[in-house]
Coordinates of all heavy atoms in Angstrom, one line a residue:
Chain B
V323 N 94.2 67.1 100.8 CA 92.9 67.9 100.8 C 93.1 69.1 101.7 O 93.9 69.1 102.7 CB 91.7 67.0 101.3 CG1 91.5 65.8 100.4 CG2 91.9 66.6 102.8
E324 N 92.3 70.1 101.4 CA 92.4 71.4 102.1 C 91.4 71.5 103.3 O 91.7 72.0 104.3 CB 92.1 72.5 101.1 CG 92.2 73.9 101.6 CD 93.6 74.3 102.2 OE1 94.6 73.9 101.6 OE2 93.6 75.0 103.2
S325 N 90.2 70.9 103.1 CA 89.2 71.0 104.1 C 88.3 69.7 104.2 O 88.1 69.1 103.2 CB 88.3 72.2 103.9 OG 87.5 72.0 102.8
I326 N 87.9 69.4 105.4 CA 86.9 68.3 105.6 C 85.9 68.8 106.6 O 86.3 69.4 107.7 CB 87.6 67.0 106.1 CG1 88.6 66.5 105.1 CG2 86.6 66.0 106.5 CD1 89.5 65.3 105.6
R327 N 84.7 68.6 106.4 CA 83.6 69.0 107.3 C 82.8 67.7 107.6 O 82.4 67.0 106.7 CB 82.7 70.0 106.7 CG 81.5 70.3 107.6 CD 80.5 71.0 106.8 NE 80.6 72.5 107.0 CZ 79.8 73.4 106.5 NH1 78.9 73.0 105.6 NH2 79.9 74.6 106.8
T328 N 82.5 67.5 108.9 CA 81.6 66.4 109.2 C 80.4 67.0 110.0 O 80.6 67.9 110.8 CB 82.3 65.3 110.1 OG1 82.5 65.8 111.4 CG2 83.6 64.8 109.5
I329 N 79.3 66.5 109.6 CA 78.0 66.9 110.3 C 77.4 65.6 110.9 O 77.1 64.7 110.1 CB 77.1 67.6 109.4 CG1 77.7 68.7 108.6 CG2 75.8 68.1 110.1 CD1 76.9 69.3 107.4
C330 N 77.3 65.5 112.2 CA 76.8 64.3 112.8 C 75.5 64.6 113.5 O 75.4 65.6 114.2 CB 77.8 63.8 113.9 SG 79.3 63.2 113.1
N331 N 74.5 63.7 113.2 CA 73.2 63.9 113.9 C 73.1 62.8 114.9 O 73.2 61.6 114.6 CB 72.1 63.7 112.8 CG 70.7 63.9 113.3 OD1 69.8 63.3 112.8 ND2 70.6 64.7 114.3
Y332 N 73.0 63.2 116.2 CA 73.0 62.2 117.3 C 71.6 62.1 117.9 O 70.9 63.2 118.0 CB 74.0 62.6 118.4 CG 75.4 62.6 118.0 CD1 76.1 63.8 117.8 CD2 76.1 61.4 117.7 CE1 77.5 63.8 117.4 CE2 77.4 61.4 117.3 CZ 78.1 62.6 117.2 OH 79.4 62.6 116.8
N333 N 71.2 60.9 118.4 CA 69.9 60.8 119.1 C 70.1 61.3 120.5 O 71.2 61.6 121.0 CB 69.3 59.4 118.9 CG 70.2 58.4 119.6 OD1 70.8 58.7 120.6 ND2 70.1 57.2 119.1
S334 N 69.0 61.2 121.3 CA 69.0 61.8 122.6 C 69.7 60.8 123.7 O 69.8 61.2 124.8 CB 67.6 62.1 123.1 OG 66.8 60.9 123.0
D335 N 70.2 59.7 123.2 CA 71.0 58.8 124.1 C 72.3 59.5 124.6 O 72.9 59.1 125.5 CB 71.3 57.5 123.5 CG 70.0 56.6 123.3 OD1 69.0 57.0 123.9 OD2 70.1 55.6 122.6
V336 N 72.8 60.4 123.8 CA 74.0 61.1 124.1 C 73.7 62.6 124.3 O 72.9 63.2 123.6 CB 75.1 60.9 123.0 CG1 74.7 61.6 121.8 CG2 76.4 61.3 123.5
E337 N 74.3 63.2 125.4 CA 74.1 64.6 125.6 C 75.4 65.3 125.2 O 76.5 64.9 125.7 CB 73.8 64.9 127.1 CG 73.5 66.3 127.4 CD 73.4 66.6 128.8 OE1 73.1 65.7 129.6 OE2 73.7 67.7 129.2
V338 N 75.3 66.2 124.3 CA 76.5 66.9 123.8 C 76.5 68.4 124.1 O 75.4 69.0 123.9 CB 76.7 66.7 122.2 CG1 78.0 67.2 121.8 CG2 76.5 65.2 121.8
R339 N 77.6 68.9 124.5 CA 77.7 70.3 124.8 C 79.0 70.8 124.1 O 80.0 70.0 123.9 CB 77.8 70.6 126.3 CG 76.5 70.4 127.0 CD 76.7 70.6 128.5 NE 77.5 69.6 129.1 CZ 78.6 69.8 129.8 NH1 79.0 71.0 130.1 NH2 79.3 68.8 130.3
V340 N 79.0 72.0 123.7 CA 80.2 72.6 123.1 C 80.4 74.0 123.8 O 79.5 74.7 124.0 CB 80.0 72.9 121.5 CG1 81.3 73.4 120.9 CG2 79.7 71.6 120.8
D341 N 81.7 74.3 124.1 CA 81.9 75.5 124.8 C 82.5 76.6 123.8 O 82.7 76.3 122.6 CB 82.8 75.4 126.0 CG 84.3 75.1 125.7 OD1 84.7 75.3 124.6 OD2 85.0 74.6 126.6
N342 N 82.7 77.8 124.3 CA 83.1 78.9 123.4 C 84.6 78.7 122.9 O 85.0 79.5 122.0 CB 82.9 80.3 124.0 CG 83.5 80.4 125.4 OD1 83.6 79.4 126.1 ND2 84.0 81.6 125.7
F343 N 85.3 77.8 123.4 CA 86.6 77.5 122.9 C 86.6 76.3 122.0 O 87.7 75.7 121.7 CB 87.6 77.3 124.1 CG 87.8 78.5 124.9 CD1 87.0 78.7 126.1 CD2 88.7 79.5 124.6 CE1 87.2 79.9 126.8 CE2 88.9 80.6 125.4 CZ 88.1 80.8 126.5
D344 N 85.4 75.8 121.6 CA 85.3 74.7 120.7 C 85.6 73.4 121.3 O 85.8 72.4 120.6 CB 86.1 74.9 119.4 CG 85.6 76.0 118.5 OD1 84.6 76.5 118.8 OD2 86.4 76.3 117.5
H345 N 85.6 73.3 122.6 CA 85.7 72.0 123.3 C 84.4 71.3 123.2 O 83.3 71.9 123.4 CB 86.1 72.1 124.8 CG 87.5 72.7 125.0 ND1 87.7 73.8 125.7 CD2 88.7 72.2 124.6 CE1 89.0 74.1 125.7 NE2 89.6 73.1 125.1
I346 N 84.4 70.0 122.9 CA 83.2 69.2 122.9 C 83.1 68.3 124.1 O 84.1 67.6 124.4 CB 83.1 68.4 121.5 CG1 81.8 67.7 121.5 CG2 84.2 67.6 121.3 CD1 81.5 67.1 120.1
Y347 N 82.0 68.3 124.8 CA 81.8 67.4 125.9 C 80.6 66.5 125.6 O 79.7 66.9 125.0 CB 81.4 68.2 127.2 CG 82.3 69.4 127.5 CD1 82.1 70.6 126.8 CD2 83.2 69.3 128.5 CE1 82.9 71.7 127.1 CE2 84.0 70.4 128.8 CZ 83.8 71.6 128.1 OH 84.6 72.7 128.4
H348 N 80.7 65.2 126.1 CA 79.5 64.4 125.8 C 79.4 63.4 127.0 O 80.3 63.0 127.6 CB 79.7 63.6 124.5 CG 80.9 62.7 124.5 ND1 80.8 61.4 124.8 CD2 82.1 62.9 124.1 CE1 82.0 60.8 124.7 NE2 82.8 61.7 124.3
E349 N 78.1 63.1 127.2 CA 77.8 62.0 128.1 C 77.0 61.0 127.4 O 76.0 61.3 126.7 CB 76.9 62.6 129.3 CG 77.8 63.3 130.3 CD 76.9 63.9 131.4 OE1 75.9 63.4 131.8 OE2 77.4 65.0 131.9

Side-chain angles (χ1 to χ4, degrees):
Chain B
V323 301
E324 183 60 38
S325 70
I326 298 175
R327 168 197 265 181
T328 70
I329 307 168
C330 292
N331 185 210
Y332 297 109
N333 67 29
S334 57
D335 290 346
V336 69
E337 187 189 330
V338 188
R339 288 175 292 126
V340 181
D341 72 16
N342 53 328
F343 295 92
D344 290 352
H345 294 120
I346 181 168
Y347 312 78
H348 62 92
E349 283 177 31

